[in-house]
Amino acid sequence: MKWLSKGKLVSVTGVCIITALVFQFIHFTIMSDIIFWIATILAGYPIAKNAFQAITLKVISIELLVTVAVIGALFIGEYSESAAVTFLFILGSYLEHRTLEKTRSSLKSLLDLAPLEARIVKDGKEEIIAAEDVQEKDILFIHSGEKVPADGRVIDGEAHVNEAAITGESIPVQKKANDKVFSGTIIDNGYLKVEAQKVGEDTTFSKILQLVEEAQDTKAKTQKFIEKFATYYTPSILVLSIGVFIITRDIRLALTFLVISCPGALVISAPVSIVAGIGNGAKRGILIKGGEITERAAKLSIIAFDKTGTLTVGKPQVAAIKTIEITENELLAVSAKAESFSEHHLARAILDEAAKKGVASNEKPENFQVFKGMGVIASIDGNSWLIGNRKMMAHNQVKINDDIEQYVYNEEVRGRTAVMIANGQQLKGIISISDRIRPEAAETIRLLKKAGKKVIMLTGDNERTAATVAAEVGISDYFAGLLPEQKVAKIKELQASGLMVGMVGDGINDAPAIATADVGIAMGGAGTDAAMETADIILMADRMEKLPFTLNLAQATVRNMQQNMFFAVSIVILLLVGVLSKTVFLASGMLIHELSVLIVILNAIRLLKFKSTGRSPINTNTNVFVTIPNQK
């Protein structure tokens, strides 16, 4: 039955009851009873139908309890009571549905952002097609005020783009040639020509919708417990009502007991809070994958951070080059060629520098091998080149004299990563690379500590660099020189000591650690499939300061759920007292029961307006440069 029809049914039944009361007032009893019967049948039919459908599935539902109570009321001639109970039940159900819709308003607002059409070039002419018909490699034209219909790369034009649909940030971001754009974002001003790279369900926007929808339907542990409890509780109430009648011989008391014991508010107490909490996060570019994740996030006692791309910006640059019997350009060219297959931050910095100096080439190395936590080895023109850290050099017996050791030490003290390059066993040079600490890192760490969280850093970088970064952001406990598997082992060690561990990383290099933690949190998930698939919580915008809000939201959601459960149980207990003291009757019991359901929902809706706790302004002009991890 459509909800519009249900609304009309509520209205018609209400009019019937008012009319019946009028006839009752003028002592036209027969007409009054007939109209009460009509009202009962009109409102009772959908209730009885749902009860029957549940029985066919071997489920004793709340609708069955109400149906039994209504039949009992009709049997003893309480027609006004039967009409009132059915009317109040469908009225409550109608209001419950309308109010619940508000808890899912975040998802609806996201759906409203979905692009509907696209402007493409076909056979040299512009034409407008449905967004779902866009194919990969299509050339798209997006004008000011239009939505981007697919993920893609800008090939021409310049514009400011509102990416709120992806990151939750409404401040427009400038886009120009070679920048990525995402489906669902809106051109604030300007013009872009874009090559479509991901279309339809493969776009980041579609995946966000899918994740939010799945998350809102994923049950928390508490919710699973309540539902299991209800499967035993509801039939028990039916049996107890029979027992009450047998003992008291008071059928009105037994029927009232049946109605007021319905666990409606209790059953809905957990899911409505979870849906509202996840919806709040989704609006702000925070994807929480379900109720169970929310419960775990609320209990986190320790937060472990990766360094590169998490505490640092993750955009390293070459800061200095030292050569040994080779020119700078030759060293840079051979290093770029050897790293051309690598996707590590170090490799990107070297490749960018080679391109900037015009020494990059399209030639690819042979026998390319990655040694995690050490570096790479590749063959170029028949020579074996090693690019990596001390471990890599020591493992291959590359001799490093005292002067070079001192140079490397000085670079690390300055906050730079020293990447060594060797031809065979002969060291040929060192490329120093630096990265910038996120301006919001120190404030975020402070807020987490203030919230009672222990904070540590796990990094593959060396001891000196780790100490420098940890001191800058205010982390007193750090573990340096860790390989990916050692990060996993450290997290397991913390879990074994009874701590609930959250791991924060970029979702790519730290996938094993993120997957091992009780809650894996990935930053900058927009356009990164690995992050969206591996992490439990994804901060779509590359904004670290959203982490304290995320954890606060999880705690607020769990508190809201507990408030609802306490209220629902308390109401049932108070109603039982009222029934036993004969101050609560059939219709009034149903009224209070339905009101309790609505109050539970309204309490959950408060979560939609939950805002972050007071955060101190962050100095975005901070410009501290540090090293990036020498880990591959």
Side-chain angles (χ1 to χ4, degrees):
M1 179 180 289
K2 294 181 179 178
W3 288 105
L4 180 62
S5 301
K6 186 164 233 177
K8 287 181 179 177
L9 181 63
V10 170
S11 302
V12 171
T13 309
V15 170
C16 286
I17 290 177
I18 292 171
T19 306
L21 288 172
V22 171
F23 281 114
Q24 192 177 55
F25 181 74
I26 61 176
H27 303 292
F28 199 165
T29 308
I30 295 177
M31 184 57 71
S32 170
D33 289 347
I34 291 173
I35 299 176
F36 275 135
W37 262 93
I38 293 172
T40 302
I41 293 171
L42 284 174
Y45 173 73
I47 302 171
K49 183 181 175 185
N50 289 338
F52 178 75
Q53 288 173 341
I55 287 176
T56 59
L57 298 173
K58 299 180 180 178
V59 174
I60 296 179
S61 63
I62 294 172
E63 283 83 357
L64 178 63
L65 301 188
V66 174
T67 302
V68 172
V70 169
I71 292 173
L74 291 173
F75 180 75
I76 61 175
E78 293 289 350
Y79 308 133
S80 60
E81 294 277 6
S82 65
V85 167
T86 52
F87 169 73
L88 289 170
F89 190 84
I90 63 167
L91 174 64
S93 177
Y94 173 71
L95 295 176
E96 176 185 329
H97 178 83
R98 293 293 300 269
T99 317
L100 269 175
E101 281 296 298
K102 289 190 178 179
T103 66
R104 291 187 176 269
S105 59
S106 301
L107 181 59
K108 185 176 182 305
S109 62
L110 282 177
L111 287 170
D112 291 341
L113 293 174
L116 299 176
E117 57 185 30
R119 189 193 308 272
I120 70 167
V121 176
K122 195 170 184 180
D123 300 328
K125 295 180 180 177
E126 277 192 29
E127 72 176 79
I128 294 179
I129 63 173
E132 61 189 22
D133 293 334
V134 173
Q135 303 294 318
E136 289 184 25
K137 304 290 184 186
D138 277 352
I139 303 301
L140 310 169
F141 286 88
I142 309 128
H143 295 178
S144 179
E146 293 181 346
K147 292 176 184 174
V148 178
D151 289 2
R153 180 178 62 87
V154 177
I155 57 178
D156 193 19
E158 196 165 324
H160 283 83
V161 180
N162 184 332
E163 296 188 323
I166 303 295
T167 65
E169 299 294 330
S170 57
I171 299 174
V173 179
Q174 187 177 21
K175 297 287 182 180
K176 55 184 184 302
N178 293 321
D179 285 343
K180 283 185 175 179
V181 291
F182 301 103
S183 172
T185 57
I186 302 172
I187 304 287
D188 189 69
N189 61 68
Y191 154 82
L192 291 178
K193 185 178 179 182
V194 173
E195 181 189 58
Q197 294 178 323
K198 290 182 180 178
V199 299
E201 295 181 352
D202 292 331
T203 64
T204 300
F205 182 73
S206 293
K207 288 179 179 175
I208 290 173
L209 287 179
Q210 185 182 351
L211 282 175
V212 174
E213 200 160 8
E214 288 175 356
Q216 291 191 336
D217 290 334
T218 302
K219 296 174 182 175
K221 275 187 177 178
T222 306
Q223 184 180 350
K224 291 175 185 172
F225 170 78
I226 290 174
E227 288 183 356
K228 191 171 183 180
F229 170 76
T231 60
Y232 295 102
Y233 174 83
T234 310
S236 300
I237 290 302
L238 197 57
V239 174
L240 284 173
S241 298
I242 296 171
V244 169
F245 174 70
I246 292 172
I247 295 170
T248 65
R249 295 293 173 182
D250 185 343
I251 192 168
R252 288 179 61 88
L253 180 65
L255 294 175
T256 307
F257 177 84
L258 194 65
V259 167
I260 60 96
S261 300
C262 290
L266 183 62
V267 168
I268 205 171
S269 60
V272 74
S273 299
I274 294 295
V275 167
I278 290 174
N280 183 314
K283 275 195 309 185
R284 300 166 193 271
I286 301 165
L287 300 187
I288 304 173
K289 292 183 177 176
E292 192 167 343
I293 300 297
T294 303
E295 286 184 317
R296 292 212 299 260
K299 295 176 184 173
L300 288 179
S301 49
I302 182 167
I303 310 294
F305 282 91
D306 173 47
K307 184 171 72 65
T308 302
T310 306
L311 293 172
T312 65
V313 174
K315 294 179 180 176
Q317 298 174 337
V318 172
I321 299 176
K322 181 178 179 60
T323 63
I324 303 170
E325 299 173 352
I326 190 172
T327 68
E328 274 193 17
N329 283 348
E330 287 173 343
L331 184 73
L332 198 55
V334 77
S335 301
K337 194 181 293 185
E339 293 275 24
S340 58
F341 288 136
S342 175
E343 295 181 350
H344 194 268
H345 299 285
L346 279 175
R348 289 208 303 270
I350 291 172
L351 288 167
D352 289 346
E353 186 69 12
K356 191 191 302 179
K357 292 194 172 181
V359 297
S361 74
N362 294 324
E363 293 180 35
K364 302 299 179 187
E366 298 177 349
N367 303 320
F368 176 82
Q369 296 179 72
V370 176
F371 295 84
K372 287 187 176 181
M374 293 196 289
V376 303
I377 297 178
S379 294
I380 298 172
D381 299 328
N383 295 314
S384 178
W385 286 86
L386 293 70
I387 303 179
N389 56 17
R390 282 191 180 84
K391 290 179 185 174
M392 170 67 86
M393 300 302 132
H395 187 70
N396 291 277
Q397 291 84 47
V398 177
K399 188 175 179 182
I400 301 174
N401 62 38
D402 292 343
D403 289 342
I404 295 297
E405 282 285 5
Q406 185 61 46
Y407 176 81
V408 171
Y409 175 84
N410 291 339
E411 289 296 287
E412 289 175 349
V413 169
R414 295 178 67 184
R416 295 172 175 173
T417 293
V419 180
M420 301 181 187
I421 299 99
N423 183 353
Q425 295 181 335
Q426 187 177 2
L427 191 68
K428 286 294 182 181
I430 296 159
I431 298 178
S432 301
I433 299 175
S434 62
D435 195 4
R436 187 164 60 92
I437 289 180
R438 289 178 184 273
E440 70 271 25
E443 175 65 6
T444 301
I445 300 301
R446 188 189 70 78
L447 287 174
L448 289 173
K449 286 182 175 178
K450 186 180 176 185
K453 310 294 182 189
K454 183 175 176 58
V455 180
I456 64 170
M457 182 177 75
L458 306 179
T459 176
D461 215 336
N462 63 73
E463 175 72 23
R464 281 188 292 276
T465 301
T468 302
V469 175
E472 288 289 344
V473 300
I475 295 177
S476 55
D477 297 313
Y478 63 87
F479 300 88
L482 299 179
L483 298 173
E485 57 268 29
Q486 291 174 317
K487 290 183 182 179
V488 170
K490 178 54 67 179
I491 288 174
K492 288 182 177 176
E493 182 184 322
L494 293 168
Q495 289 172 325
S497 65
L499 297 170
M500 288 284 287
V501 185
M503 175 71 202
V504 188
D506 60 12
I508 303 172
N509 298 321
D510 304 296
I514 284 177
T516 304
D518 294 294
V519 178
I521 304 166
M523 289 177 50
T528 309
D529 291 346
M532 295 185 75
E533 290 171 7
T534 307
D536 300 310
I537 296 176
I538 304 144
L539 309 181
M540 298 303 291
D542 200 18
R543 302 279 298 275
M544 189 178 172
E545 71 268 28
K546 290 198 173 187
L547 182 59
F549 171 79
T550 305
L551 301 184
N552 287 339
L553 177 63
Q555 290 176 335
T557 302
V558 171
R559 273 199 306 273
N560 191 280
M561 194 164 57
Q562 291 169 342
Q563 290 166 359
N564 282 344
M565 291 168 59
F566 177 79
F567 175 76
V569 172
S570 299
I571 286 295
V572 170
I573 293 172
L574 289 174
L575 283 173
L576 278 173
V577 172
V579 170
L580 294 176
S581 61
K582 297 198 173 182
T583 55
V584 173
F585 303 100
L586 196 57
S588 57
M590 176 56 77
L591 177 64
I592 295 171
H593 173 267
E594 292 302 324
L595 285 176
S596 69
V597 171
L598 290 177
I599 289 172
V600 161
I601 297 171
L602 290 172
N603 185 48
I605 286 177
R606 293 191 306 117
L607 280 173
L608 293 174
K609 296 182 179 178
F610 178 81
K611 294 181 179 176
S612 183
T613 53
R615 177 172 59 85
S616 301
I618 291 171
N619 178 13
T620 55
N621 293 320
T622 303
N623 200 30
V624 180
F625 282 84
V626 296
T627 60
I628 61 171
N630 200 3
Q631 175 183 320
K632 299 193 174 189

